[in-house]
Amino acid sequence: MALTRIGLAGLAVMGQNLALNIAEKGFPISVYNRTTSKVDETVQRAKLEGNLPVYGFHDPASFVSSIQKPRVVIMLVKAGAPVDQTIATLAAHLEQGDCIIDGGNEWYENTERREKAMEERGLLYLGMGVSGGEEGARNGPSLMPGGSFEAYKYIEDILLKVAAQVPDSGPCVTYIGKSGSGNFVKMVHNGIEYGDMQLIAEAYDVLKSVGKLTNSELQQVFSEWNKGELLSFLIEITADIFGIKDEQGEGYLVDKVLDKTGMKGTGKWTVQQAAELSVAAPTIEASLDSRFLSGLKDERVEASKIFQGDYSTGLPVDKAQLIEDVRQALYASKICSYAQGMNIIKAKSSEKGWSLNLGELARIWKGGCIIRAIFLDRIKKAYDRNPDLANLLVDPEFAQEIMDRQAAWRRVVCLAINNGVSTPGMSASLAYFDSYRRDRLPANLVQAQRDYFGAHTYERVDMPGSFHTEWFKTARNSKI
């Protein structure tokens, strides 16, 4: 056989689908997996799905030697130690100038470490975020490659065809930047995804618990929302979920799903990075806390017995008004969540000298990925208007949209509180907006307290310099 254009190691669901996508776009691909049955399964799928040019290999040496030089191998294996093990297996057969690409959800510092180690061996390295799940991998994901620009140019033609295609803005891939920037951007993308999903869940909870909407009504509402400014993948699949009947019992399947949310760590990493960078990300943090609380199912069941009672106001609710208010509250909260994510990326870019283009990130998220939404086009335009935008909230268009929606937003949060329904994401977003828009916060008192007990000093609003007051002595003398 002739040499293939590229190789892929790691044939779980994502790896298989991405390999088939690459082959379908006309690029012959070699595949390898430590468990050889996965190799045979992938080759068989390729035959069934159009006799695609996928060639399987059961040992790493023959796998690597089947790829044209300079060789490029994509890894799609579990983050952490398995990546290091796969690199060691592949690198033993690679030559100077060859390239390894990690397509998993890896911690960005691991990518930086590996890039340096590979450079010492004369190999190129890319850390590439891949978003869109198995469907995206097969039919067009959003791709976020970062690291060696030379390595990116090796496979740019492949990535441009394999990525999701958006008619008005092109392929959902771009060279993100140096070092671990691709993995970092994918991590924050997932953090934004956490916030988005939590806000949608809260909208559902308010409509169901306070508005008493049925699943059929919820499906109709979300389907309608998906025709306007909230049009997105997550709103679309949410509408679908509400319409699925339970095949193993009565009623709808969504009501039978256990209320415990899983996670794989990228949301936690995003919150940790926000704290490290001193960037406020309360909506994303609230979504993470909500997942932690959901995991305490047994404790919550017991607590519900202790805190029994009807927490609803019992007041009549105008369904149509509530639906419209929740729609506006969801959109306004969503702006805050994306603003926080973009600020985390901007801060890390500044710290590391990555020079990331926030508008371009919004563009490649418009298709293929989990957070794809019509809303992202607005974000791209905001950063196109002002690449140095301090915060998405102060973009003139978004600022006006927030102002137009804040009355409905406040009504929803107040209604939820008064009816004992938790809306941590919407509440955190509203608090973020209310803090950001105020020219003076009660932080003066906190700083005074710090100076009182720890002599941490403070600045004054009426004169320059750093000051310390012996608050205790002054207070004690005033009492004598």
Side-chain angles (χ1 to χ4, degrees), residues 168 225-233 331 334 338 362 365-367 371-381 398:
D168 62 345
W225 284 356
N226 201 45
K227 297 174 184 175
E229 63 189 12
L230 288 173
L231 189 155
S232 65
F233 172 70
Y331 185 81
K334 187 182 176 85
Y338 279 73
W365 290 344
K366 284 173 62 179
I371 63 171
R372 61 184 183 265
I374 194 170
F375 170 81
L376 282 157
D377 196 48
R378 314 282 302 288
I379 295 178
K380 180 188 183 303
K381 288 175 180 174
F398 280 119

Side-chain angles (χ1 to χ4, degrees), residues 204 208 213-220 242-243 251-252 254-255:
Y204 153 64
K208 181 182 179 181
L213 271 71
T214 64
N215 286 318
S216 179
E217 288 173 318
L218 286 164
Q219 182 187 25
Q220 189 176 351
F242 290 131
Y252 289 82
V254 68
D255 298 321

Side-chain angles (χ1 to χ4, degrees), residues 216-471:
S216 179
E217 288 173 318
L218 286 164
Q219 182 187 25
Q220 189 176 351
V221 166
F222 277 79
S223 296
E224 194 61 37
W225 284 356
N226 201 45
K227 297 174 184 175
E229 63 189 12
L230 288 173
L231 189 155
S232 65
F233 172 70
L234 286 170
I235 293 292
E236 178 188 346
I237 68 169
T238 301
D240 288 346
I241 287 167
F242 290 131
I244 304 296
K245 296 283 184 70
D246 181 11
E247 292 182 353
Q248 303 189 44
E250 295 293 319
Y252 289 82
L253 184 56
V254 68
D255 298 321
K256 309 291 178 64
V257 176
L258 183 66
D259 53 324
K260 276 177 76 170
T261 307
M263 67 190 92
K264 291 186 176 178
T266 45
K268 185 190 292 186
W269 289 348
T270 304
V271 171
Q272 288 170 337
Q273 278 297 293
E276 288 284 335
L277 294 163
S278 300
V279 173
T283 311
I284 299 172
E285 290 166 17
S287 70
L288 184 64
D289 287 340
S290 294
R291 293 195 182 198
F292 293 152
L293 280 165
S294 78
L296 304 177
K297 175 65 176 179
D298 293 342
E299 290 183 39
R300 290 188 288 111
V301 169
E302 291 306 309
S304 70
K305 297 172 185 174
I306 296 169
F307 302 109
Q308 287 183 23
D310 183 3
Y311 288 87
S312 66
T313 60
L315 298 173
V317 175
D318 182 330
K319 267 191 184 183
Q321 183 64 54
L322 178 63
I323 291 167
E324 177 57 20
D325 282 356
V326 171
R327 184 187 67 79
Q328 293 191 36
L330 177 55
Y331 185 81
S333 298
K334 187 182 176 85
I335 294 173
C336 292
S337 184
Y338 279 73
Q340 293 159 28
M342 289 300 192
N343 283 352
I344 295 169
I345 293 172
K346 183 172 69 171
K348 179 57 78 172
S349 177
S350 177
E351 177 189 272
K352 303 285 281 188
W354 286 340
S355 302
L356 301 185
N357 183 330
L358 299 183
E360 184 69 351
L361 298 186
R363 182 192 70 77
I364 68 168
W365 290 344
K366 284 173 62 179
C369 71
I370 303 302
I371 63 171
R372 61 184 183 265
I374 194 170
F375 170 81
L376 282 157
D377 196 48
R378 314 282 302 288
I379 295 178
K380 180 188 183 303
K381 288 175 180 174
Y383 285 111
D384 285 348
R385 284 191 290 271
N386 181 5
D388 299 318
L389 193 63
N391 191 302
L392 206 54
L393 298 184
V394 297
D395 170 75
E397 284 195 17
F398 280 119
Q400 188 58 54
E401 291 188 326
I402 285 272
M403 293 301 289
D404 291 345
R405 288 158 180 76
Q406 66 165 324
W409 195 6
R410 295 181 194 283
R411 282 196 297 271
V412 169
V413 171
C414 288
L415 184 68
I417 290 169
N418 289 335
N419 282 275
V421 175
S422 62
T423 52
M426 287 187 183
S427 300
S429 289
L430 183 55
Y432 177 76
F433 166 67
D434 278 336
S435 293
Y436 193 71
R437 69 172 177 78
R438 293 181 65 190
D439 63 351
R440 188 165 174 82
L441 292 169
N444 57 314
L445 178 58
V446 175
Q447 193 59 24
Q449 291 169 335
R450 294 182 74 244
D451 189 52
Y452 190 122
F453 65 68
H456 293 293
T457 73
Y458 57 91
E459 295 176 83
R460 294 179 60 103
V461 296
D462 54 352
M463 61 182 76
S466 181
F467 299 87
H468 169 60
T469 295
E470 293 187 336
W471 301 84

Side-chain angles (χ1 to χ4, degrees), residues 1-7 28-30 53 55 57 63 66-69:
M1 57 164 275
L3 295 177
T4 60
R5 176 63 198 281
I6 191 169
I29 183 169
S30 300
Y55 303 93
F57 297 87
F63 164 66
S66 72
I67 306 164
Q68 72 179 45
K69 296 180 182 180

Side-chain angles (χ1 to χ4, degrees), residues 40-306:
D40 300 335
E41 180 185 312
T42 306
V43 171
Q44 185 61 28
R45 271 192 68 187
K47 287 178 181 174
L48 293 173
E49 295 185 23
N51 215 22
L52 302 175
V54 175
Y55 303 93
F57 297 87
H58 289 177
D59 68 281
S62 55
F63 164 66
V64 170
S65 64
S66 72
I67 306 164
Q68 72 179 45
K69 296 180 182 180
R71 302 182 186 95
V72 178
V73 180
I74 299 174
M75 300 180 297
L76 271 164
V77 298
K78 192 176 179 182
V83 174
D84 290 311
Q85 291 159 8
T86 305
I87 289 172
T89 299
L90 296 172
H93 307 283
L94 293 171
E95 300 173 1
Q96 189 164 348
D98 290 345
C99 172
I100 297 176
I101 301 173
D102 179 9
N105 280 332
E106 186 56 273
W107 175 238
Y108 81 99
E109 289 181 341
N110 285 341
T111 298
E112 294 180 338
R113 167 177 61 79
R114 290 167 185 145
E115 184 184 17
K116 287 177 183 175
M118 291 302 100
E119 189 177 2
E120 290 171 3
R121 300 179 65 158
L123 300 175
L124 304 179
Y125 196 81
L126 277 175
M128 182 171 71
V130 179
S131 180
E134 58 184 282
E135 184 201 345
R138 181 65 184 86
N139 300 307
S142 175
L143 299 170
M144 294 155 253
S148 166
F149 183 68
E150 185 183 352
Y152 173 72
K153 295 307 286 186
Y154 279 2
I155 59 161
E156 183 179 37
D157 61 330
I158 298 176
L159 300 184
L160 288 172
K161 287 191 175 180
V162 164
Q165 309 291 316
V166 176
D168 62 345
S169 60
C172 293
V173 61
T174 191
Y175 174 69
I176 300 296
K178 295 179 292 185
S179 198
S181 59
N183 289 125
F184 189 89
V185 166
K186 174 57 163 59
M187 176 196 75
V188 177
H189 160 286
N190 286 18
I192 294 170
E193 179 185 310
Y194 272 49
D196 233 346
M197 294 171 74
Q198 177 62 29
L199 292 170
I200 291 170
E202 291 173 18
Y204 153 64
D205 197 9
V206 171
L207 292 175
K208 181 182 179 181
S209 300
V210 182
K212 308 301 181 188
L213 271 71
T214 64
N215 286 318
S216 179
E217 288 173 318
L218 286 164
Q219 182 187 25
Q220 189 176 351
V221 166
F222 277 79
S223 296
E224 194 61 37
W225 284 356
N226 201 45
K227 297 174 184 175
E229 63 189 12
L230 288 173
L231 189 155
S232 65
F233 172 70
L234 286 170
I235 293 292
E236 178 188 346
I237 68 169
T238 301
D240 288 346
I241 287 167
F242 290 131
I244 304 296
K245 296 283 184 70
D246 181 11
E247 292 182 353
Q248 303 189 44
E250 295 293 319
Y252 289 82
L253 184 56
V254 68
D255 298 321
K256 309 291 178 64
V257 176
L258 183 66
D259 53 324
K260 276 177 76 170
T261 307
M263 67 190 92
K264 291 186 176 178
T266 45
K268 185 190 292 186
W269 289 348
T270 304
V271 171
Q272 288 170 337
Q273 278 297 293
E276 288 284 335
L277 294 163
S278 300
V279 173
T283 311
I284 299 172
E285 290 166 17
S287 70
L288 184 64
D289 287 340
S290 294
R291 293 195 182 198
F292 293 152
L293 280 165
S294 78
L296 304 177
K297 175 65 176 179
D298 293 342
E299 290 183 39
R300 290 188 288 111
V301 169
E302 291 306 309
S304 70
K305 297 172 185 174
I306 296 169

